[in-house]
Amino acid sequence: MASRPPLRTVSAASSSHSTDSPTAAAAPPGGVPQSITALLNNPLPSASSASYWLPWPPPTSLPDAPPAPSHPCDLSRADFAPYLAAVADPFSRFADIRLHTTAELATPSSPSSGLAACLREVPALFFKEDFALEDGATFESACPLADGAALQERLGQQLDVVEAHLVQEIARRSASFYEAQGRLRGLDGEIVSAVGRIRDLREVVRVLTGDLVGDAQQVQDLNATRSNLVALQEKLTIILYVSQALTALRLLVLAADCAGALDVIDDLQNLLDTDELAGLYCFRHIRDQLGTSLDSVNSILSAEFVRAAVPDGKTVDAMISSTVKRRTSMPLNGTEHEVSVDEEESFILRDRLLPLIICLLRTDKVPAVLRIYRDTLITVMKASIKSTVAEMLPVLISRPIDSDSVTGERAADSDAGGQSLANKLRSLSSEGFVQLLSAIFRIVQVHLLQAAEVKKIVQWIMRNLDGNIHTDGTNPVVQHGRTVDTSQENDNGVTSRVSSTVTRSPTKLSLFQGKANDMSSTNSIKNVRADVLRESTEAVFAACDAAHGRWAKLLGVRAALHPKLRLQEFLIIYNITEEFIAATEKIGGRLGYNIRGILQQQSKQFVDHQHTVRMAKIKAVLDQETWVAVDVPEEFQAIVLSLSSTDFPVNGMEIPSTDSNSKFSEDGISTAQEPSYSTENSVDNGNATSVTGHENRAESTSPQIENSVAGHVKSMSQTIVLGGVGYHMVNCGLILLKMLSEYVDISKCLPSLSFEVVQRVVEILKLFNTRTCQLVLGAGAMQVSGLKSITSKHLALASQIISFIHSLIPDIRRVLFMKIPEARKQLLMSELDRVNQDYKVHRDEIHTKLVQIMRERLLANLRKLPQIVESWNGPDDNDLQPSLFAKAVTKEVTYLHRILSQILLEVDVQAIFRQVVQIFHSHITEAFSKLDVNSPQAKNRLCRDVQHILVCIRKLPAQNFSAETVRNYGLLDEFLAEKFGTKVDE
C-alpha cells in the first residue's frame, strides 16, 4: 500500500524566531489559532503544552495533603495554607485573564464611552438588518423633508460618531491582538523545528532498513508477486470458462436444449454465489444475462409443456369432421360418448412431459407453468367447442326438421335470414341439438382425459421425486447419483427413466433451481410440492368448470324450448347432460353445482310447463265431455296393469306409444266407434229420471244396450279392469289416466323432481274431482257441453270414473313415492289421503243423488195417487191390472236398476237400492195408509198395487237390511199383511 504523503512544511529559514522575518510571519494553513481562546482560559495548562510555547513556567506540583484532623469541626484556615500558597501564582494569572475579559465585555459606565454611547447618539433605525434607503418608508424615516445641507451635515455627524467609537474599540483591543499574534508565530516556529527532526528520523530508518532487512523484504515481495500471478491465472481461467459457458449457453438456448442450458446456468450461478467473479468488470452484467437466459429457458419449457399437455388441434379437428360425417347414424340415447386414452399414448405423453417437468422443477416454475397450462387448456377447449358448433350447425340445420317436435317459435327462427348463433341453436330440432351435444361431449372428454392424464403424470413425478427432499437417503425414490427402487413403484419401467433423467453428477446442484442449501427445512420443499399438486388439480377443476359453463350456456340458449319438448326428447337431453356431468365430475373430482342447478331448473320448468298444458287440456276435455261410455284401448289397460304391478320398474316405465291406429288421440278426442244411441235415457211413459227437471221424455234405448243389459255381460273392450273390477270409462277418464301415467313417467325419469311431480298430481286430481262435481252434480255440463239434462246414466258414469280414480290413487302413490325421501313422504301422503277422501265423498254424493232422483220420482207419482184412487170406487171398475201409479213406480225403479246395473259395480248398486227400497217401503206405506178405501173394488185394486210393487221390490239387488228371511222385507209387507191378511212370496 502506498505510504501516506508527508506533512506540509516551510523552509528551514523560517525556523528563526525573529518576528521581522517574512517567513516567520506567514503562519501555515490549518494552524491552531482557533484553540488560543481555550488555552488562554485554562488556568492549569498541561505540562506538555506549556513546554512547547507558553511563556510562563510550568506550574509547581501541589504539596501533599496534610493529614486529616481527628474531628471535622477542628478545621481552620491555617490547615489550607500550604495549598493556597501552591496555587496562588496560577490563580493570580487566571484572575487577571478573567478580569481582562470582563473589562473588554463590560459596558462603559459613562454615557459618552463605548458602543453603547454610539447607539444612543445614532438612531436605531440605521442599525437594523433590513435597513435599505430604497425602501420608501425607510427613506422617509431616515431622511425627513428638510434642508438638504442640514440633513447632510447631520448624517455626517452620525458617521463621525460611529467612526470615532469604532476607532476607540479597536485601540482598546490592539494589545491583546498583538500578544496573540506573537504567540502564534512562536508556535509556528516550534512546528517547523519538529518537522525537521521527523525528516531526519525517517532517513535513519531508511538506511537501517536497507542494511538489515533488505533481502528478506525482497523475498517477501517476490512471494507476493508469485501469489498474485497465480491468482491472476485462476481469474483468467475463470474468465475463459465463463466466456465459453456464456457462448455455450446461447447455443443451448437457441437449440432448445433446456436441460443443458440449466446445467450451465447452475454452474455460472454457483460461481456468482461464491463470489468467484467479484471485481471482474467484464462480467458486471452476467446476472442479467443469466436471468435473460433463464427466462428464455422457462419460456421454451412452458411452451413445450403446453404443447405436449394440451390436445393437438389437428386431432380435435379430425374428430369433429368424423363426428359430422357420422351425424346420420349417431344414436340419440347419449351412450356413444366413451373416449379412452390409449396406454401407448399415455407412455408417449409421460415421456414427453417427464424431462420438461424435471427442468421446470429445477427452475421452480412448475406452479406458474401449470397456471399457464390451465388458461391455455380452457382457451383451447372453448375454441374447440366453438369450432365444433360452427362446423356442425350448418349441417344440422340443413337436415329436414321433424314437424312434430318443432314449435312455432323455432320454425319461425329457422325461416329467418341472417340468424345469429343463438337463433341457429334454437332453430335446431331436438335430435340435431342432441347430436351437437354428443359431439361437444366427445371434444370435452378428449381435453379432460388428457388433462387428467397430465395431472396423474405430475403427481407421479412429484411422488417419485419426494426422495430428493430427504437427506438421509433412505427413501427408495429418485436421488442424485442413485437409481430408483422399482419395488415401491411399478409403472411399467418408466420409473427408471425418471432416474436416468434426474441423475446427474454429484457435483451438480439439486433439482429445485440449485437452491437446496437455501431450503433449510423439509417443510418449505413440501410446500413447493403441495403447490405443484394443487395447481395440477386446479387445472383439471378449471377445465371441468369451463366445460360445464359452455354446456350450461348451450342449454340456456334453448331454455325456452326444452319445457315444450315431449318427454322422450327432453329425457334424451337430460340423460346426456347427466352423463356429461357424471363423466366430468369423475375426471375432475369436484361437483358441478352450476350446471346441476341449471339442469334442475330446466327440469322444473319442463315439469311446470307439462303440468300447465295438462291442466288446461283436462279442463278443456271436461268442458267438452258428453259423459258417454267409450271403448278402452289395450294400451290403457296396460297402463293400469303396470301401475298396479308390485314389480313396477324403478328406472322408468315404458312410455305408451301413440300410433295412428290407436283409438285414443293425443288431443283427448275419442276416435272409437261409439254405439249409435241417444245420450238421453228415459222411461217409456216419458217420466225422465233427470236432475234438472221432471219433464216427460221418451225412452230411446238402443238394441245394443238392451242386449248388454239383458245378458249382464261386460266386455273387456268396454271396461278397464283394476284390482279384478271392471270400470266403464268416458273420454275424460282415459285422458286423465294417460296423464297420470305420464306424470309417473316424469317422476321415474326425473327422480330429483319426484316431490314436485306428486304435488302436480295432487293438483290435477283435485281439479278433475272439483270440475267433475261441478259438471255432473252441479249440472254445469248443460251449459258447457250442450247436454239437455243430466241423467242417471251420466251420474253412473261419473261415479265409475270417480271410483276408478279412487281405487287407482293408492297405486299412484306407491309408484310416485319410490324416489321420495322418507322425511318428505308424510306431507305428500296426507295430501293424497285428503284427495282420496274427496273422491270417496264425491262418489257417495253421486250415489246419494241417484237415490234422491228415485225419491223425487216416487214423490211425484205419489202426488198423483189420490186422483187415481178416486176412480177405484166405481162399480164398473173390473180391471185386473195394477194401476197406473204402480206401473209407473215399478217401471222407473226397474229402469234405474237396469241402467245402474249396466254401469255401476254390484256393491254400489246394492248400496243404492238398499236406500231406494227403504224409501219405497216408508213413503208408499205412509201414502197407502192415508187413503180412504171402503169399497171392495178399491180394496182389491189397492191390494193388487201393493203386491205388484212388492214383487218389483223383491227383484231389486238391495242388501238385506232386516232380520226377516224374505228379501227386501219391510213396512209395505207389514201393511199388506195387516190390511189384507196376505203376503207376497219371493
Side-chain angles (χ1 to χ4, degrees), residues 329-350:
S329 61
M330 184 177 296
L332 295 180
N333 55 8
T335 58
E336 195 175 293
H337 306 115
E338 295 297 332
V339 178
S340 60
V341 179
D342 189 1
E343 184 177 0
E344 185 63 27
E345 293 179 357
S346 177
F347 284 136
I348 294 174
L349 179 62
R350 183 178 297 183

Side-chain angles (χ1 to χ4, degrees), residues 919-950:
I919 292 172
F920 270 48
H921 276 292
S922 60
H923 285 72
I924 294 176
T925 301
E926 181 182 359
F928 283 172
S929 299
K930 294 179 181 180
L931 293 178
D932 186 12
V933 180
N934 296 323
S935 63
Q937 295 85 353
K939 292 181 178 180
N940 292 332
R941 295 295 296 270
L942 180 59
C943 182
R944 284 195 299 270
D945 284 356
V946 173
Q947 291 177 346
H948 182 74
I949 293 173
L950 285 175

Side-chain angles (χ1 to χ4, degrees), residues 76-89:
S76 62
R77 183 177 179 82
D79 296 330
F80 296 96
Y83 174 75
L84 293 177
V87 299
D89 189 30

Side-chain angles (χ1 to χ4, degrees), residues 411-432:
D413 287 339
S414 62
D415 294 337
Q419 297 173 326
S420 63
L421 181 60
N423 290 334
K424 291 180 180 179
L425 288 172
R426 283 191 287 265
S427 66
L428 285 177
S429 64
S430 61
E431 178 184 357

Side-chain angles (χ1 to χ4, degrees), residues 191-318:
I191 291 172
V192 171
S193 175
V195 169
R197 290 195 295 273
I198 291 171
R199 186 181 295 108
D200 295 339
L201 181 61
R202 284 182 176 178
E203 182 64 22
V204 172
V205 170
R206 185 184 63 79
V207 172
L208 290 177
T209 301
D211 295 340
L212 298 179
V213 296
D215 296 336
Q217 185 176 5
Q218 184 179 6
V219 172
Q220 185 179 6
D221 292 341
L222 292 175
N223 287 331
T225 303
R226 180 180 178 278
S227 300
N228 292 335
L229 292 175
V230 171
L232 177 61
Q233 183 182 10
E234 292 178 354
K235 288 292 183 181
L236 291 176
T237 304
I238 292 175
I239 291 173
L240 178 61
Y241 172 77
V242 172
S243 177
Q244 293 176 351
L246 290 176
T247 304
L249 178 61
R250 286 192 294 270
L251 295 177
L252 290 173
V253 171
L254 292 176
D257 187 356
C258 298
L262 288 177
D263 292 341
V264 175
I265 292 175
D266 288 343
D267 293 338
L268 294 177
Q269 188 66 43
N270 188 28
L271 291 176
L272 289 175
D273 295 338
T274 55
D275 295 334
E276 293 290 339
L277 302 181
L280 296 179
Y281 184 77
C282 58
F283 295 137
R284 63 187 182 280
H285 300 305
I286 190 171
R287 290 188 183 273
D288 297 335
Q289 294 175 1
L290 292 181
T292 304
S293 300
L294 186 61
D295 293 339
S296 301
V297 170
N298 287 330
S299 300
I300 295 172
L301 290 173
S302 176
E304 289 294 330
F305 181 86
V306 171
R307 188 180 301 111
V310 177
D312 188 9
K314 295 181 179 179
T315 305
V316 176
D317 293 339

Side-chain angles (χ1 to χ4, degrees), residues 914 917 921 946-947 949-974 976-977 982-986:
R914 177 176 180 270
V917 169
H921 276 292
V946 173
Q947 291 177 346
I949 293 173
L950 285 175
V951 170
C952 180
I953 290 176
R954 295 285 189 270
K955 297 178 181 180
L956 295 178
Q959 297 174 351
N960 192 10
F961 55 87
S962 65
E964 299 291 337
T965 58
V966 181
R967 185 176 183 180
N968 296 336
Y969 184 88
L971 294 177
L972 195 56
D973 290 282
E974 295 176 358
L976 180 62
T982 184
K983 63 179 182 179
V984 177
D985 296 332
E986 294 187 19

